Amino acid sequence: MSAETDALVQQIQQSLALLRRHLDWDAALARLDELNARAEDPALWENAAAAQSLMRARNHLAAGVDSVRRIERETNDARELLELAEAEQDAAMIAEAEGTLRALAEDAKRREIESLLSGEADGNDAYVEINAGAGGTEAQDWAEMLLRMYLRWAEKRGYKVDIIDRNDGEQAGIKSATIQVSGANAYGWLKTEAGVHRLVRISPFDANARRQTSFASVWVYPVIDDTITVEINEADLKVDTYRSSGAGGQHVNKTESAIRITHIPSGIIVACQTDRSQHRNRAKAMDMLRARLYEAELQKREAQSALVESAKTDIGWGHQIRSYVLAPYQMVKDLRTGVEKSNPDAVLDGDLDAFMAGALAARVGATRSEASAQAS
């Protein structure tokens, strides 16, 4: 095999070693056998909620085990095909085998990153809240650019998006917006976007075409279901009604159907204007509040909670996670991981996977060398 092909095989083996390590392979196989046996018990479905929970756990574990076995099997097949092709000097077959190995290396790397999405709520849908920083129209226009970026990212992944709340700026852009993104591992991916985002560009709102720096914040929290209980004291809530804004039909700006709820002890504020019904908007806002409080509790349990909270102090200098520079040069750089892209237009059109993967991959950087040694 060529040096390039050798490197591809080693890359696949390293990814598989990390996947096995993450799964705790022997324990995962034993657990899967146990779940399969329990799934065949007719009495299981006497408790539908428990049965559904068990089947979700079984299917998730089976998918992880099956992917490792499939990649390993297809890698061995491709290597055998390549050896045969090289022996027969069949250029077309060599190219086919090398192409298969490249695809398998990408697949293994992607699954290695996805294996990091094992947090308590990583598989859940997500709320994404965007707020413009100080700076009036400039910051509000930047906030709307971020909103579009996440809408495009979700669209490319086939995720469903609902706009829960939108507060338009006076001249352009948005003061704030909240969306719900629904799809597999939506929260696990999007949680890497939480923080302050900085834009540098020639201002389209300045007659003198001066360079402007704008900030906007992005907070992400998981959608939670009825299996998670979050106690909220009604006495701790301040509830305001207001007229909806933005596109939405004749009722917009005519009825006070929109709801804003402030949780006084935590200072958390949520808002919803997605429905004509004030009652349904209140119910949705309460769901969002429970999710925010749950996310706050998750952050307390995480080792990096102090870093996350410090990033939320101000929407301004020193707290940004990513810089988007459109002038005098073109670059997007993640300040946590060093991941860079020289095509800001593509990034602002939803090309975020490299940044998200980089943020997740940084969590296992310390284990890669050990896994590499085990694979060799």
Side-chain angles (χ1 to χ4, degrees):
M1 290 189 295
S2 67
E4 179 187 357
T5 306
D6 231 4
L8 285 173
V9 171
Q10 289 182 17
Q11 181 182 332
I12 294 169
Q13 290 174 339
Q14 288 176 7
S15 292
L16 289 176
L18 280 171
L19 284 168
R20 284 196 184 89
R21 178 187 177 88
H22 175 78
L23 286 168
D24 191 359
W25 188 250
D26 291 339
L29 295 181
R31 175 63 173 160
L32 185 56
D33 286 342
E34 176 193 344
L35 292 175
N36 284 334
R38 291 176 61 188
E40 293 174 2
D41 183 355
L44 172 67
W45 290 96
E46 292 176 3
N47 184 333
Q52 291 172 356
S53 176
L54 182 144
M55 293 305 294
R56 280 196 299 269
R58 179 209 168 276
N59 292 340
H60 179 75
L61 185 56
V65 170
D66 291 346
S67 67
V68 170
R69 286 172 168 166
R70 177 187 58 78
I71 292 171
E72 187 172 48
R73 181 179 66 254
E74 291 181 4
T75 299
N76 291 333
D77 290 345
R79 292 178 67 182
E80 291 176 5
L81 178 63
L82 184 59
E83 290 172 1
L84 177 62
E86 288 176 341
E88 297 182 357
Q89 297 185 337
D90 187 328
M93 195 182 297
I94 290 173
E96 178 186 347
E98 289 177 341
T100 299
L101 285 173
R102 276 190 289 272
L104 285 168
E106 292 177 6
D107 187 15
K109 179 63 177 177
R110 182 170 60 253
R111 292 183 182 279
E112 176 190 334
I113 297 299
E114 287 180 347
S115 73
L116 304 178
L117 300 175
S118 58
E120 185 173 326
D122 282 354
N124 292 29
D125 299 340
Y127 293 116
V128 180
E129 179 183 321
I130 301 167
N131 290 283
T137 302
E138 287 285 351
Q140 291 164 16
D141 187 56
W142 172 223
E144 186 171 40
M145 291 168 66
L146 286 176
L147 173 62
R148 179 187 179 277
M149 181 178 76
Y150 291 118
L151 292 175
R152 294 287 292 125
W153 175 82
E155 178 186 338
K156 290 177 179 180
R157 279 187 167 259
Y159 288 167
K160 179 177 179 289
V161 178
D162 293 309
I163 297 178
I164 304 300
D165 184 62
R166 177 183 173 121
N167 186 8
D168 290 328
E170 285 83 2
Q171 296 181 346
I174 58 171
K175 295 178 181 177
S176 64
T178 302
I179 60 175
Q180 179 176 335
V181 182
S182 303
N185 294 322
Y187 174 68
W189 287 111
L190 284 164
K191 70 180 183 182
T192 63
E193 294 296 295
V196 176
H197 297 245
R198 168 179 174 253
L199 173 70
V200 180
R201 65 173 173 176
I202 301 298
S203 172
F205 305 101
D206 188 334
N208 296 316
R210 288 172 293 192
R211 193 168 60 181
Q212 177 75 32
T213 299
S214 305
F215 298 93
S217 66
V218 176
W219 311 136
V220 182
Y221 45 104
V223 177
I224 60 176
D225 57 28
D226 294 337
T227 63
I228 298 172
T229 301
V230 179
E231 297 293 338
I232 299 176
N233 186 345
E234 287 284 339
D236 291 336
L237 304 180
K238 177 187 175 185
V239 181
D240 299 306
T241 61
Y242 60 99
R243 293 182 180 181
S244 301
S245 63
Q250 294 181 351
H251 73 292
V252 172
N253 292 324
K254 293 185 179 180
T255 61
E256 292 194 346
S257 60
I259 292 287
R260 182 184 297 110
I261 299 176
T262 303
H263 185 251
I264 297 170
S266 66
I268 291 173
I269 300 173
V270 294
C272 181
Q273 57 173 291
T274 189
D275 201 283
R276 290 174 180 267
S277 165
Q278 186 182 109
H279 175 74
R280 285 192 288 271
N281 282 336
R282 191 184 196 283
K284 184 67 174 179
M286 286 298 294
D287 286 343
M288 294 165 63
L289 178 58
R290 279 190 289 270
R292 283 287 298 271
L293 292 170
Y294 173 66
E295 188 263 351
E297 179 60 29
L298 286 181
Q299 294 292 354
K300 289 178 184 177
R301 296 186 225 160
E302 290 184 358
Q304 296 182 352
S305 62
L307 294 176
V308 173
E309 290 305 313
S310 67
K312 294 183 179 180
T313 53
D314 294 306
I315 307 178
W317 288 102
H319 302 285
Q320 61 266 22
I321 63 166
R322 191 175 302 144
S323 287
Y324 306 71
V325 182
L326 307 186
Y329 54 90
Q330 302 247 315
M331 184 185 71
V332 180
K333 181 174 182 178
D334 195 291
L335 305 179
R336 302 162 300 176
T337 63
V339 173
E340 293 183 10
K341 290 276 189 177
S342 58
N343 187 351
D345 288 343
V347 175
L348 292 171
D349 200 38
D351 185 11
L352 295 171
D353 286 357
F355 297 105
M356 293 177 173
L360 289 170
R363 302 185 180 191
V364 291
T367 64
R368 173 168 282 281
S369 58
E370 182 178 346
S372 177
Q374 292 175 352
S376 60

